[in-house]
Amino acid sequence: MAEARRRGPVLDRPTWIAARRQTAAVGRRGRKWIAPEGNLYATLVFAPDCSAAQAALYSFVASYSLYATLLAYVDSPATIALKWPNDVLVGGGKVAGILLESDGTAGQVTRLAVGIGVNLNHAPDPAGLEPGALPPARVAGSGDPIDPLEFLAFLAEHFAVQARFFRTHGFGPLRGAWLDRAARLGDTITARLPGEDVTGRFETVDMNGCLVLQTARGSRSIAAADVFFQERRCP
């Protein structure tokens, strides 16, 4: 992402920037994590020429593109799930995260950087996770290691297709496809906002990309939050 900020102003076409490893990796809210060689660390920089609200929806383009890419690497497609707002899960564990950064003027985004990290061959130590966070997972099983650049080639192709479809048809079809693969849809979850936790039934994602929870006080639309799942109990 730092390299994307540096190079962004002079790039004249959509460009992927990848690192074999990172020494100062950060995620949402400036959180740090360990980024060893063997996983995917990549950022797409491009000019979306759209509003800030529209640009934010590219997180759904990215997560659905990751889903489509993972189908070639995961034995059981049903274990892949999309977690609002920007994570991808396999077998209930987090394998990928997405981070958006943008620049613009007068309400229009002139540069968007879509950062994507995928635990291909290594999963970080769960000891440093905050309470309630999902455990990390990796894509590779007991077979051969996954080549990050090969994975990126497939991901870039899927992203280009999904982005073109999104620009042509709008958010509606993508939203429907995303919801079909949404983690814990219909379950009770907790959205952690600054200074407030909101718990309710995960009802949907609206046409603005906001999480909609049905709470004891009625429906609540949430634009940004960290989401935590409640432990499922066996019958």
Side-chain angles (χ1 to χ4, degrees):
M1 296 296 277
E3 189 68 6
R5 287 191 293 271
R6 187 179 75 83
R7 295 188 183 213
V10 299
L11 294 174
D12 61 358
R13 68 190 67 185
T15 301
W16 284 93
I17 299 170
R20 294 192 179 278
R21 65 185 181 91
Q22 294 186 103
T23 57
V26 296
R28 293 183 74 243
R29 307 186 193 280
R31 297 189 183 102
K32 296 183 178 180
W33 77 80
I34 303 301
E37 188 166 348
N39 290 341
L40 177 72
Y41 316 108
T43 296
L44 172 63
V45 189
F46 66 106
D49 190 25
C50 65
S51 68
Q54 188 81 352
L57 297 176
Y58 274 95
S59 65
F60 293 90
V61 174
S63 61
Y64 194 81
S65 300
L66 277 167
Y67 165 79
T69 306
L70 286 167
L71 289 175
Y73 293 89
V74 175
D75 291 335
S76 300
T79 64
I80 308 171
L82 306 178
K83 179 177 179 283
W84 188 93
N86 54 10
D87 294 336
V88 180
L89 314 180
V90 172
K94 178 179 173 178
V95 298
I98 300 158
L99 178 66
L100 302 188
E101 288 186 0
S102 63
D103 291 326
T105 57
Q108 288 294 108
V109 174
T110 56
R111 181 193 67 88
L112 182 65
V114 182
I116 297 175
V118 185
N119 298 331
L120 293 177
N121 299 299
H122 310 287
D125 186 348
L129 297 177
E130 60 183 306
L134 292 175
R138 64 175 185 162
V139 179
S142 57
D144 295 334
I146 298 172
D147 181 351
L149 293 184
E150 175 192 84
F151 187 93
L152 177 57
F154 290 131
L155 174 60
E157 182 177 351
H158 284 298
F159 191 98
V161 170
Q162 295 301 327
R164 185 164 55 248
F165 189 84
F166 170 57
R167 289 191 296 268
T168 302
H169 300 284
F171 184 51
L174 173 61
R175 170 181 171 268
W178 191 96
L179 283 169
D180 284 344
R181 293 151 184 86
R184 300 296 183 94
L185 183 64
D187 286 4
T188 298
I189 64 176
T190 296
R192 185 165 296 169
L193 290 75
E196 180 187 14
D197 285 359
V198 180
T199 297
R201 185 174 62 85
F202 179 9
E203 191 172 83
T204 191
V205 168
D206 68 19
M207 287 299 293
N208 296 313
C210 296
L211 175 71
V212 180
L213 297 182
Q214 189 63 39
T215 74
R217 297 183 177 181
S219 184
R220 177 81 177 266
S221 180
I222 298 170
D226 290 327
V227 167
F228 294 85
F229 296 154
Q230 296 188 2
E231 185 176 353
R232 282 174 167 165
R233 297 180 179 178
C234 297

